[in-house]
């Protein structure tokens, strides 16, 4: 299976779990011009995406146009470890990364999929996972394989390994997304007011997360701008 050669342990394991959960499912199935991760016995599609969600948009639009229900499973690195192997000695070091993700940090990835979020055939499942990023040490600093590094570093990524799956969040239709808004938030509200209300409830996020959340909600047809308060735009829930 050529399409599985570059799969990480994280992607492969989550795909196997979802395929087993839907008895009779087929993996790496060609549907039109695209390869679907999982096709259920009912002909519905499950896509596992551990990288950029934007890369999925063309195939998701095609699957939906074919009247198929589509579920995108997105594992978040809620807890992340970094394991670096020295290929010369075979020894490895392991440390906990200070970087982590949560449900509010996913909105940067959702910008590309905003037009699909409220489609009746689309479901997003977000998994909070513990993952290990596997690296191979190099003798000298090198550029990454995708040439995206601003500065060369003395290691290369080898993959991601799934250690544990934690809470699962399922988003389908408008209410599931509105549930991410803090209880008691008065409408209309600004991005700063949304950020302050979420922080007051103990949510871990940045002001940029709050702004991206509003950006996605507006383009998904969940919120609309209804004016300004001072220099800040204010938003309210949009009727269907």
């Amino acid at each position: 299976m050529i399409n599985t050669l570059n799969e990480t342990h994280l992607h492969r394991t989550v795909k196997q779990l979802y395929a087993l959960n839907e008895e009779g499912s087929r993996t790496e199935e060609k549907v039109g011009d695209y390869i679907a991760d999982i096709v259920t016995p009912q002909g519905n599609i499950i896509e596992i995406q551990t990288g950029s969600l934007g890369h999925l948009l063309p195939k998701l639009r095609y699957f939906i146009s074919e009247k198929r229900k589509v579920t995108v499973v997105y594992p978040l690195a809620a807890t992340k470890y970094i394991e670096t192997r020295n290929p010369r000695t075979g020894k490895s070091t392991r440390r906990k990364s200070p970087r982590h993700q949560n449900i509010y940090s996913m909105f940067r990835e959702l910008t590309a999929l905003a037009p699909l979020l409220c489609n009746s055939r689309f479901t997003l499942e977000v998994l909070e996972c513990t993952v290990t990023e596997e690296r191979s040490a190099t003798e000298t600093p090198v550029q990454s394989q995708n040439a995206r590094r601003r500065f060369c570093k003395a290691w290369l990524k080898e993959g991601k390994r799934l250690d544990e799956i934690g809470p699962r969040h399922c988003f389908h239709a408008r209410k599931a997304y509105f549930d991410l808004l803090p209880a008691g938030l008065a409408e209309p509200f600004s991005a700063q007011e949304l950020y302050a209300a979420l922080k007051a409830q103990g949510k871990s996020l940045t002001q940029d997360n709050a702004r991206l959340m509003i950006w996605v909600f507006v383009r998904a047809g969940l919120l609309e701008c209804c004016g300004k308060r001072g220099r800040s735009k204010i938003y309210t829930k949009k009727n269907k």
Side-chain angles (χ1 to χ4, degrees), residues 41 46 139 174 181 213:
I46 301 175
E139 294 292 336
R174 299 165 65 85
L181 297 175
M213 184 176 174

Side-chain angles (χ1 to χ4, degrees), residues 137-193:
T138 58
E139 294 292 336
T140 58
V142 295
Q143 179 56 271
S144 62
Q145 294 173 341
N146 58 15
R148 291 184 179 178
R149 282 181 177 168
R150 187 175 179 183
F151 302 104
C152 292
K153 298 179 181 179
W155 53 267
L156 289 170
K157 284 185 182 180
E158 289 189 331
K160 294 178 183 177
R161 187 174 72 242
L162 176 64
D163 297 327
E164 183 179 355
I165 295 178
R168 183 184 71 150
H169 308 271
C170 184
F171 298 93
H172 179 74
R174 299 165 65 85
K175 183 182 182 303
Y177 294 100
F178 283 144
D179 284 345
L180 291 177
L181 297 175
L185 178 64
E187 296 182 51
F189 56 85
S190 66
Q192 179 61 35
E193 289 166 343

Side-chain angles (χ1 to χ4, degrees), residues 2 39 47 67 69-70 74 80 94 98 116 120 125 133 140 146 154 162 164 196 225:
I2 294 175
V39 180
E47 284 290 317
K67 310 300 182 186
K69 293 181 179 179
V70 177
Y74 183 57
K80 180 178 177 181
R94 181 177 172 85
L116 300 182
S120 61
E125 291 194 11
E133 181 180 292
T140 58
N146 58 15
L162 176 64
E164 183 179 355
C225 180

Side-chain angles (χ1 to χ4, degrees), residues 10 14 18 46-54 56 71-77 101-103 105-110 113 122-129 160 167-169 171:
L10 172 61
V14 174
Y18 272 78
I46 301 175
E47 284 290 317
I48 315 300
Q49 186 66 355
T50 59
S52 172
L53 289 175
L56 291 179
T71 298
V72 171
V73 180
Y74 183 57
L76 280 177
Q101 297 175 302
N102 61 31
I103 204 68
S105 59
M106 72 175 179
F107 284 98
R108 184 171 299 280
E109 284 297 329
L110 287 184
L113 299 189
F122 179 82
T123 299
L124 173 68
E125 291 194 11
V126 180
L127 308 179
E128 293 188 32
C129 299
K160 294 178 183 177
R168 183 184 71 150
H169 308 271
F171 298 93

Side-chain angles (χ1 to χ4, degrees), residues 80-83 131-135 155 157 159-160:
K80 180 178 177 181
Y81 292 89
I82 296 173
E83 192 171 275
V131 303
T132 295
E133 181 180 292
E134 299 167 318
R135 298 177 177 179
W155 53 267
K157 284 185 182 180
K160 294 178 183 177

